[in-house]
């Protein structure tokens, strides 16, 4: 009698298992020992770091090398496989989740213990979904993991309890339902065309060689791009993004801009690899949504007066850049797309971390208003310098060389494939992007209308702002008023941006190029 047992390698699965187990431990701990707050964060950060360490074995592997598990006996097919790109995206998702927890740490004292456990476990669950979808190689696991990365974020937005939060969560819920319907339909079309539940090039070849099945496969890919377009905030599937970002707590908005986008791109890359033998026709849809997303995102970002909405529309524009290389049939397109996403995530998390620090110093209303950033360089030079680095990286200007190299890498497959119209649209949008971020940066470095000798910060006992008296120097005041966890998030992301700007080859090496 043949053995019909799926082989399991727990070490290979650890990037997925660590955050999932961490979520369970947080909930069990909350039931067993009540009134804990910081312990939940500690457990979560430890579990995420364990998962991050587990990805190291897959970083920088040569093309074609994959660490696989959940393999079916005798078939050679595996439901999970992590190559260098998947491992790098998993590492980025896990570290972005750590930054999210650091940014939410100051809210710990304002929440009930049970609420803290719920928030932390939802973040861990969504992160587990993000890491799982990067390694999923069958339709079922891929679909479930992608939704696991999405659904907890709806609750995380709604838990803020404000009218804008409820509106944003409903927008995201509606979008997620439509997206899931499209993805389920694409999965059914894939199985109809290929007769296989595995997302492999071999399965795609079966449909390509059959003239009656090839149109079904092309339709499956187009519907799938539409479904993932919702997750990536690509136009015309982007409408939920500004509302959800603006309504969410700031750390959760950072989570949406970081971990959720990593999960969406990871899901798309799994499909792109599976349809590689199909050639250029289905990738035309990616070229169209990329061009439109960059253009509309930049134009709308130029009109925003709130920094969170500006970052939301920036996400739409940057999503166009992320998928830009995938419009080309090129072996380097996947690595270029992954590299651009990592550059975007690092710079965006740094910008969100600075805004979070200013929320603690000035209150949410002022920190979210773009006009209130006038003179920030004079009042808080450390925060202004960190924000300037993030904005220059997003714009692709020195000293933010990371963004510049990422844009060049994203354009290279397009130019190599002679997609000249798309390249021209991208070049125009590169200029528009510079205008978007320089508008914010010029406000930061401009002289304040009124020299402020002390800041109005939220009183711990009331919602009304209370003056910080004594007129300490800006840097000294920063050390007193900003929570150490937020400072750690700013320091970590700033160092990462600086190191990758000085040595962009570091990211390229992680992705296995």
């Amino acid at each position: 009698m043949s053995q019909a047992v799926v082989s399991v390698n727990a070490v290979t699965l650890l990037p997925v298992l660590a955050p999932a187990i961490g979520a369970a431990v947080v909930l069990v701990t909350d039931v067993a020992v009540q009134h804990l707050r910081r312990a939940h964060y500690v457990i979560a950060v430890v579990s995420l770091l364990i998962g991050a360490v587990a990805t190291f074995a897959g970083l920088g592997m040569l093309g074609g090398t994959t660490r696989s598990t959940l393999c079916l006996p005798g078939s050679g097919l595996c439901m999970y496989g992590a190559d260098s790109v998947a491992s790098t995206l998993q590492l980025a998702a896990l570290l972005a989740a750590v930054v999210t927890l650091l940014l939410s740490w100051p809210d710990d004292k304002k929440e009930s213990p049970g609420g803290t456990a719920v928030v932390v476990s939802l973040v861990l669950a969504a992160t587990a979904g993000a890491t799982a979808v990067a390694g999923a190689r069958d339709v079922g696991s891929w679909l479930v993991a992608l939704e696991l990365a999405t659904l907890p974020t709806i609750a995380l937005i709604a838990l803020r309890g404000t009218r804008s939060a409820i509106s944003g969560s409903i927008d995201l819920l509606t979008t997620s339902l439509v997206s899931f319907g499209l993805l389920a339909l694409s999965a059914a079309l894939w199985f109809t065309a290929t007769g296989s539940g595995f997302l492999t090039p071999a399965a795609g070849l079966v449909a390509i060689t059959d003239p009656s099945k090839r149109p079904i496969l092309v339709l499956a890919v187009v519907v799938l791009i539409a479904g993932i377009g919702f997750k990536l905030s690509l136009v015309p599937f982007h409408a939920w993004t500004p509302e959800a970002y603006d309504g969410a707590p700031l750390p959760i908005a950072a989570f949406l801009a970081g971990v959720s986008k990593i999960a969406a791109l990871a899901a798309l890359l799994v499909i792109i690899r599976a349809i590689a033998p199909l050639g250029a026709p289905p990738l035309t849809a990616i070229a169209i949504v990329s061009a439109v997303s960059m253009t509309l995102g930049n134009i709308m970002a130029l009109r925003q007066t709130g920094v969170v909405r500006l970052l939301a529309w920036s996400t739409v524009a940057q999503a166009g850049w992320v998928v830009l290389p995938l419009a080309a049939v090129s072996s380097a397109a996947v690595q270029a797309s992954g590299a651009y996403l990592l550059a975007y995530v690092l710079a965006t998390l740094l910008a969100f971390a600075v805004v979070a620090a200013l929320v603690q110093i000035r209150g949410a209303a002022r920190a979210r208003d773009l006009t209130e950033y006038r003179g920030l360089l004079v009042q808080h030079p450390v925060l202004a310098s960190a924000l300037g680095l993030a904005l220059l990286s997003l714009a692709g200007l020195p000293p933010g060389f990371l963004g510049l190299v990422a844009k060049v890498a994203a354009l290279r497959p397009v130019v190599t494939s002679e997609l000249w119209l798309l390249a021209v649209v991208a070049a125009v949008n590169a200029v528009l992007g510079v205008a978007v971020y320089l508008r914010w940066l010029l406000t930061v470095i401009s002289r304040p209308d009124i020299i402020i000798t002390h800041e109005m910060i939220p009183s711990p006992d009331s919602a009304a702002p209370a003056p910080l008296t004594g007129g300490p120097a800006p840097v000294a005041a920063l050390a007193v008023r900003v929570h150490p966890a937020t400072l750690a998030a700013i320091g970590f992301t700033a160092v990462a941006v600086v190191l990758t700007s000085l040595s962009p080859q570091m990211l390229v090496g992680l992705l296995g190029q």
Side-chain angles (χ1 to χ4, degrees), residues 352-451:
F352 269 110
V354 173
V355 175
L358 289 171
V359 167
Q360 298 170 42
I361 296 173
R362 299 178 169 181
R366 290 184 62 194
R368 286 172 175 255
D369 187 352
L370 181 60
T371 59
E372 293 292 336
Y373 283 75
R374 180 176 295 276
L376 183 65
L377 183 61
V378 175
Q379 299 158 12
H380 300 286
V382 175
L383 293 180
S385 299
L387 180 59
L389 178 62
L391 295 176
L392 290 172
S393 295
L394 288 169
L397 295 176
F401 293 105
L402 173 63
L404 177 61
V405 172
K407 281 182 168 58
V408 172
L411 276 169
R412 184 178 298 168
V414 176
V415 173
T416 302
S417 299
E418 299 183 352
L419 302 174
W420 301 117
L421 179 59
L422 184 59
V424 170
V425 172
V428 171
N429 276 281
V431 177
L432 284 176
V434 170
V436 169
Y437 302 114
L438 283 188
R439 173 173 169 248
W440 189 354
L441 182 60
L442 289 175
T443 304
V444 170
I445 65 177
S446 61
R447 288 182 59 83
D449 296 329
I450 300 175
I451 302 298

Side-chain angles (χ1 to χ4, degrees), residues 252-502:
I252 304 308
F255 187 85
L256 288 171
V259 177
S260 294
K261 294 299 174 283
I262 293 171
L265 180 65
L268 181 59
L269 293 184
V270 171
I271 301 301
I272 291 297
R273 289 168 169 173
I275 65 169
L278 194 56
L283 301 183
T284 303
I286 293 181
I288 295 172
V289 297
S290 171
V292 177
S293 297
M294 286 188 287
T295 305
L296 182 62
N298 283 324
I299 292 173
M300 293 303 297
L302 281 170
R303 302 181 57 187
Q304 303 306 309
T305 58
V307 298
V308 176
R309 281 187 173 269
L310 189 154
L311 287 170
W313 283 108
S314 166
T315 295
V316 176
Q318 298 291 349
W321 278 97
V322 167
V323 301
L324 175 68
L326 302 179
V329 183
S330 169
S331 58
V334 170
Q335 285 82 1
S337 180
Y340 193 94
L341 177 71
L342 295 180
Y344 152 76
V345 168
L346 282 175
T348 301
L349 287 178
L350 178 55
F352 269 110
V354 173
V355 175
L358 289 171
V359 167
Q360 298 170 42
I361 296 173
R362 299 178 169 181
R366 290 184 62 194
R368 286 172 175 255
D369 187 352
L370 181 60
T371 59
E372 293 292 336
Y373 283 75
R374 180 176 295 276
L376 183 65
L377 183 61
V378 175
Q379 299 158 12
H380 300 286
V382 175
L383 293 180
S385 299
L387 180 59
L389 178 62
L391 295 176
L392 290 172
S393 295
L394 288 169
L397 295 176
F401 293 105
L402 173 63
L404 177 61
V405 172
K407 281 182 168 58
V408 172
L411 276 169
R412 184 178 298 168
V414 176
V415 173
T416 302
S417 299
E418 299 183 352
L419 302 174
W420 301 117
L421 179 59
L422 184 59
V424 170
V425 172
V428 171
N429 276 281
V431 177
L432 284 176
V434 170
V436 169
Y437 302 114
L438 283 188
R439 173 173 169 248
W440 189 354
L441 182 60
L442 289 175
T443 304
V444 170
I445 65 177
S446 61
R447 288 182 59 83
D449 296 329
I450 300 175
I451 302 298
I452 299 175
T453 57
H454 63 275
E455 290 278 4
M456 299 293 290
I457 64 171
S459 169
D461 299 322
S462 67
L468 181 67
T469 59
V475 177
L478 176 65
V480 172
R481 288 177 265 176
V482 179
H483 193 282
T486 304
L487 289 177
I490 294 173
F492 171 74
T493 50
V495 169
V497 171
V498 170
L499 290 178
T500 49
S501 293
L502 292 175

Side-chain angles (χ1 to χ4, degrees), residues 101-122:
L101 292 176
L102 291 176
L103 295 180
S104 64
W105 208 304
D107 295 332
D108 185 30
K109 296 180 180 178
K110 301 178 184 178
E111 300 174 1
S112 64
T116 301
V118 169
V119 169
V120 171
S121 60
L122 286 173

Side-chain angles (χ1 to χ4, degrees), residues 139-140 142-143 181-192 196 220 223-224:
V139 174
W142 180 86
L143 191 58
L182 291 173
L183 293 173
L185 175 60
S186 67
L189 290 171
W190 173 272
F191 186 79
T192 301
S196 171
V223 173
L224 184 142

Side-chain angles (χ1 to χ4, degrees), residues 15 20-21 36 67 89 99 101 127 150 176 183 225 232 247 256 338-339 350 379 396 407 438 460 473 480:
I21 294 173
L36 292 177
R67 300 168 66 236
L89 293 178
V99 173
L101 292 176
T127 306
T150 303
S176 297
L183 293 173
I225 291 172
L232 271 173
L256 288 171
L350 178 55
Q379 299 158 12
K407 281 182 168 58
L438 283 188
V480 172

